[in-house]
């Protein structure tokens, strides 16, 4: 299977022989069966040694988006016969065209084991009952994430999205102790509790652990504390992944809020400068775009795949939890980056400032109605329910953004409830120009 038992607890240098052997098998397989990569590599053979991988060109989402319409439904990077496709998923399409994801039975099992490592690091295990509130309608966050939760030994309630009033009743009746959802979903639950369950507070539901993923936000200490204060549960960033690669290959633990990489035995990591494309050393303090290569994949193997995620490496030594993978934070996405007078701005940076204001709900939008370049960052920030603008809020937020990010912002305060609260991913950078 190419997996090492508890591979996330084995030092990377001790995995070297395993990873090299896995690459030799995988590269030969890709060269023989992937028309996409044969074309991208101009028919040249891939390097024999894993450390020479940078001799190959990158692949990215744009390439895959061209491949699938030309070779429906899975693209010509489908390397396995069609009858070996055991499961079909579709990406959420948050950052563009939705994509069809094909997985063999072996791909499914490896994906579930890797994701299970992450969920277990975040604190889920036997004796827990977790309700899974991500979309089951083709999205990998539904069924496949459900199976990663099961791998921890916990009891999993497959709820999905919608019927939030029923969800509240189910949590109370079943004695559910944990929830798996996006960081923005508890806000939906809070509104339903307030409107439909008089006298009941979110903390009365008895949830002790929140397993969050699917969208950024949990790196903000203010949001974490708000979840603790409101719900009485411990929030954990438990589900970081790239759907085209693995649905979940990193999470935090009880000792460190940075994401722990848990897939070195089946996934090769590179870090590059997103502009120059030069490879950077994976070391504490390094920042760059995450590039991933499957070391074991049947259906849609990816080699030097540019994820678009910009990460900052925090540590490479083993964590107290026992995980030996490097630890990192996601700074933002290269396609969500906004350059304002030479300063690189990411939505997460704006969120960290917005959530410092008690008068605001924490929700915001950055609406760009013209193409770059930008001299000013346009921000719409939403009032919290029951709070009022004293007439100086926009100016105070502009000043805070300028002081902390260095960018000049134009802030508009909008009424509470202006932005729809979604049960899936929330897109906060809106590019409305044609």
């Amino acid at each position: 299977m190419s997996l090492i038992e508890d591979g996330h607890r084995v030092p990377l240098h001790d995995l070297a022989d395993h990873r090299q052997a896995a690459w030799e098998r995988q590269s030969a397989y890709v060269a023989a069966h992937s028309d996409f990569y044969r074309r991208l590599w101009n028919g040249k053979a891939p390097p024999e040694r894993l450390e020479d991988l940078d001799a190959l060109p990158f692949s990215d989402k744009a390439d895959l988006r061209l491949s699938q319409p030309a070779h429906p439904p899975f693209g010509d990077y489908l390397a396995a016969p069609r009858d070996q496709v055991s499961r079909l998923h579709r990406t959420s399409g948050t950052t563009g065209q939705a994509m069809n994801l094909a997985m063999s039975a072996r791909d499914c099992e490896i994906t579930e084991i890797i994701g299970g490592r992450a969920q277990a690091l975040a604190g889920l295990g036997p004796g827990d009952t977790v309700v899974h509130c991500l979309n089951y309608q083709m999205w990998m966050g539904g069924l496949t994430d459900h199976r990663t939760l099961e791998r921890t030994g916990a009891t999993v309630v497959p709820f999905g999205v919608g019927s939030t009033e029923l969800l509240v009743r189910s949590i109370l009746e079943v004695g559910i102790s944990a929830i798996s959802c996006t960081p923005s979903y508890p806000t939906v639950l809070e509104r339903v509790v307030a409107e439909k369950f008089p006298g009941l507070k979110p903390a009365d539901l008895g949830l002790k652990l929140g397993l969050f993923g699917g969208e950024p936000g949990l790196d903000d200490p203010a949001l974490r504390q708000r979840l603790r204060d409101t719900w009485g549960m411990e929030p954990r960033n438990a589900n970081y992944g790239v759907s085209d690669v693995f649905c979940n290959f990193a999470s935090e633990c009880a000792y460190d809020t940075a994401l722990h990489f848990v897939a070195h035995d089946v996934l090769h990591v590179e870090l590059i400068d997103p502009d120059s494309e030069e490879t950077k050393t994976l070391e504490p303090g390094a920042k760059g775009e995450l590039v991933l290569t499957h070391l074991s994949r049947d259906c849609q193997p990816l080699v030097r795949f540019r994820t678009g995620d910009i990460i900052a490496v925090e540590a490479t030594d083993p964590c107290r939890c026992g995980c030996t993978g490097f630890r990192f934070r996601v700074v933002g996405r290269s396609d969500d980056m906004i350059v304002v007078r030479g300063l690189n701005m990411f939505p997460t940076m704006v969120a960290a400032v917005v959530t410092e204001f008690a008068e605001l709900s924490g929700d915001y939008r950055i609406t760009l109605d013209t193409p770059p370049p930008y001299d000013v960052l346009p921000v719409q920030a939403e009032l919290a329910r029951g709070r009022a603008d004293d007439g100086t809020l926009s100016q105070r937020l502009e000043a805070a953004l300028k002081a902390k990010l260095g960018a000049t912002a134009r802030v508009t305060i909008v009424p509470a409830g202006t932005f729809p609260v979604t049960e899936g991913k929330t897109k906060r950078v809106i590019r409305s120009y044609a």
Side-chain angles (χ1 to χ4, degrees), residues 84-366:
Q84 287 187 21
V85 177
S86 177
R87 189 180 301 170
L88 162 65
H89 282 295
R90 184 165 289 161
T91 65
S92 62
T94 303
T95 58
Q97 169 191 326
M99 302 292 292
N100 294 318
L101 305 175
M103 300 170 70
S104 69
R106 190 178 75 127
D107 293 340
C108 290
E109 186 172 12
I110 292 174
T111 297
E112 292 160 13
I113 291 171
I114 294 297
R117 291 175 181 174
Q119 304 282 13
L121 274 187
L124 192 69
D128 294 320
T129 299
V130 57
V131 61
H132 187 45
C133 300
L134 293 178
N135 193 349
Y136 279 74
Q137 192 171 2
M138 296 185 74
W139 187 30
M140 191 172 281
L143 174 63
T144 296
D145 277 4
H146 174 120
R147 298 297 297 271
T148 70
L149 294 166
E150 287 184 344
R151 289 281 178 170
T152 69
T155 300
V156 187
V157 180
F159 198 87
V161 297
S163 303
T164 310
E165 190 175 343
L166 174 61
L167 173 60
V168 174
R169 290 199 299 269
S170 299
I171 292 172
L172 291 169
E173 292 169 3
V174 177
I176 290 169
S177 57
I179 186 169
S180 167
C181 61
T182 62
S184 58
Y185 186 54
T187 303
V188 178
L189 277 174
E190 289 168 28
R191 292 183 182 179
V192 171
V193 169
E195 293 170 3
K196 302 293 184 179
F197 298 86
L200 191 70
K201 295 179 180 178
D204 297 333
L205 271 64
L207 295 174
K208 301 302 181 186
L209 178 64
L211 302 168
F212 296 106
E215 62 187 28
L218 211 62
D219 274 337
D220 177 15
L223 176 59
R224 283 181 179 267
Q225 196 56 50
R226 186 180 298 173
L227 288 167
R228 292 189 186 101
D229 294 343
T230 303
W231 289 90
M233 67 179 170
E234 184 58 34
R236 297 267 166 80
N237 204 344
N239 191 346
Y240 170 74
V242 177
S243 294
D244 304 273
V245 182
F246 284 116
C247 65
N248 187 1
F249 53 80
S251 71
E252 67 174 88
C253 73
Y255 302 102
D256 191 338
T257 59
L259 291 165
H260 300 42
F261 186 80
V262 298
H264 275 308
D265 47 343
V266 288
L267 198 58
H268 179 67
V269 176
E270 295 175 86
L271 198 64
I272 65 166
D273 182 297
D275 297 320
S276 69
E277 298 187 345
E278 292 182 1
T279 302
K280 308 183 76 170
T281 302
L282 198 72
E283 60 186 3
K287 182 186 295 184
E289 182 178 350
L290 186 65
V291 175
L292 299 172
T293 295
H294 282 122
L295 297 180
S296 182
R297 192 71 159 192
D298 292 333
C299 281
Q300 291 173 319
L302 298 175
V303 179
R304 301 204 82 200
F305 180 71
R306 294 185 61 165
T307 66
D309 282 354
I310 308 299
I311 69 167
V313 179
E314 294 209 345
T316 55
D317 59 321
C319 179
R320 282 194 291 163
C321 69
C323 181
T324 57
F326 70 97
R327 282 163 276 161
F328 65 100
R329 297 187 189 278
V330 179
V331 178
R333 285 195 54 80
S334 58
D335 50 11
D336 269 349
M337 186 176 74
I338 307 159
V339 181
V340 182
R341 290 191 175 182
L343 296 171
N344 295 340
M345 299 287 114
F346 292 99
T348 50
M349 298 162 65
V350 175
V353 180
V354 170
T355 53
E356 290 180 353
F357 288 76
E359 305 99 310
L360 298 174
S361 69
D363 208 352
Y364 65 96
R365 296 293 184 274
I366 301 170

Side-chain angles (χ1 to χ4, degrees), residues 21-34 38 41 46-47:
W23 167 244
E24 291 173 7
R25 291 190 299 269
Q26 184 71 8
S27 60
Y29 175 78
V30 172
H33 299 288
S34 175
R38 279 201 298 266
W41 299 341

Side-chain angles (χ1 to χ4, degrees), residues 18-56:
H18 165 84
R19 283 163 46 81
Q20 175 58 32
W23 167 244
E24 291 173 7
R25 291 190 299 269
Q26 184 71 8
S27 60
Y29 175 78
V30 172
H33 299 288
S34 175
D35 292 340
F36 174 90
Y37 280 105
R38 279 201 298 266
R39 184 175 67 254
L40 184 65
W41 299 341
N42 291 319
K44 296 180 180 178
E48 294 182 2
R49 303 298 301 175
L50 187 57
E51 57 262 32
D52 297 328
L53 200 61
D54 57 4
L56 293 174

